[in-house]
Amino acid sequence: MGDCSSDGLPGGGDRMTAALNADQITAFERDGFLVINDFADLDTCAALRDAAGQLVDAFDPAEVRSVFSTQSHSYAADRYFLDSGDAIRFFLEEGAMASDGALDRPKHLAINKIGHALHTRAPLFRDIANDPRLTTILQQLGQAEPWPVQSMLIFKQPGIGGAVVPHQDATFLHTQPVSVIGLWLALEDAGPDNGGLFVAPGGHRGPLRQRMVREGDGAEPRTRFATVDETPLPSYPNDAVYVDIAAPAGSLVALHGLVPHGSTTNRADVSRQAFMLHVVDRAAQWSDDNWIRPA
């Protein structure tokens, strides 16, 4: 993932050591996810939130009105979204738009997420992505040569932070064999009361259900969802296979590319910011029809 040292990150002295123990590796292999406490200290979390705030300061919402929702997937036909693999772009919450299309709240409370190249375009996020501890963790979890291909800052705004429906990360970042691992760093305390994660333990042993495929490169690229296996994903909250994850600020959650997971709507009066990094293995075959075109 690079040879950048993490020594320059704020508060680096109190963070976890690099290596996972045998029990943690076994838990990931069994459950398809792992919560790693105290990966980052609170100063680092605050610095990343501040860096995200500075990016939003410079964003003019009058220039672009791209709304992100996993309910409709309408963003998938949006050129602004499709060309974000090597850029820093801003996506709004559905609940932040008035009937006339204008924002009904300050822009800092209207952003759903920033993506998808924070790990190459924004210095503090690049430092996190190149933290040597992540390389060690990912290699212990089975990646021979970790390659970060996508990153996001997810805000989960108070009261309106949109739900993310159950999905598999390999739907969006496909390799042969499946190799993607999601790394979800809680920048604020996260739990079921403020739009926290839910995961289906052991669900990674099931098949990949669908792929988001990019077509029509050129003036009018587009995407479609191609069925790989017709077995339905468990629904949330109706199916009891999911567990809610409590992740205090600084916790790192590792997610296998096939494990079904999502997050709830944030109905609380506090946000639930998180930095998400998706990493694939360069030793696997990257699918050229993936929607994203990473640097």
Side-chain angles (χ1 to χ4, degrees):
M1 292 175 65
D3 57 3
C4 178
S5 170
S6 63
D7 293 343
L9 293 171
D14 296 326
R15 297 173 306 165
M16 60 159 279
T17 57
L20 302 177
N21 61 43
D23 288 343
Q24 289 174 308
I25 296 170
T26 297
F28 182 82
E29 292 172 346
R30 179 190 66 229
D31 298 331
F33 73 97
L34 178 68
V35 180
I36 304 167
N37 292 320
D38 300 321
F39 178 83
D41 61 31
L42 296 183
D43 286 343
T44 298
C45 294
L48 291 168
R49 295 196 306 270
D50 288 346
Q54 292 171 24
L55 291 171
V56 177
D57 284 342
F59 166 59
D60 182 359
E63 295 180 359
V64 178
R65 292 289 171 83
S66 185
V67 174
F68 183 84
S69 169
T70 63
Q71 307 286 341
S72 67
H73 291 294
S74 59
Y75 63 88
D78 185 342
R79 186 65 185 260
Y80 181 78
F81 173 86
L82 289 174
D83 289 348
S84 64
D86 190 29
I88 295 176
R89 299 205 166 160
F90 301 82
F91 303 92
L92 303 172
E93 287 282 4
E94 282 186 304
M97 308 289 285
S99 58
D100 62 358
L103 295 183
D104 64 3
R105 65 199 66 213
K107 64 180 179 178
H108 281 267
L109 297 176
I111 300 290
N112 173 290
K113 71 173 185 176
I114 306 173
H116 289 95
L118 290 165
H119 62 291
T120 61
R121 297 292 184 178
L124 270 183
F125 295 100
R126 184 172 61 237
D127 290 345
I128 286 287
N130 285 288
D131 189 322
R133 297 175 302 154
L134 289 183
T135 301
T136 299
I137 289 169
L138 290 162
Q139 288 174 338
Q140 287 185 289
L141 297 181
Q143 291 189 348
E145 189 178 352
W147 175 31
V149 293
Q150 176 179 287
S151 56
M152 298 175 281
L153 193 291
I154 305 167
F155 287 85
K156 278 287 184 174
Q157 300 289 359
I160 63 166
V164 177
V165 298
H167 64 282
Q168 298 168 297
D169 286 343
T171 292
F172 306 96
L173 299 165
H174 186 260
T175 62
Q176 288 281 7
V178 169
S179 67
V180 63
I181 293 176
L183 299 173
W184 191 93
L185 177 63
L187 302 185
E188 297 176 302
D189 293 343
D193 293 335
N194 68 335
L197 288 175
F198 57 81
V199 183
H204 61 304
R205 291 190 288 272
L208 177 64
R209 272 57 166 205
Q210 60 179 357
R211 288 194 54 217
M212 183 177 176
V213 175
R214 181 170 178 145
E215 299 176 328
D217 280 343
E220 296 184 3
R222 59 190 180 276
T223 62
R224 64 180 177 87
F225 283 89
T227 299
V228 178
D229 188 287
E230 295 185 351
T231 305
L233 283 176
S235 64
Y236 181 91
N238 298 327
D239 292 332
V241 299
Y242 291 102
V243 297
D244 294 314
I245 293 179
S251 302
L252 182 73
V253 183
L255 297 158
H256 189 285
L258 291 177
V259 71
H261 65 283
S263 64
T264 57
T265 302
N266 184 9
R267 300 300 186 193
D269 59 2
V270 294
S271 59
R272 189 236 63 188
Q273 291 190 32
F275 176 56
M276 185 84 202
L277 183 69
H278 288 105
V279 185
V280 300
D281 192 345
R282 282 190 188 273
Q285 178 64 47
W286 174 259
S287 297
D288 290 336
D289 58 357
N290 280 327
W291 78 268
I292 197 169
R293 296 292 187 264

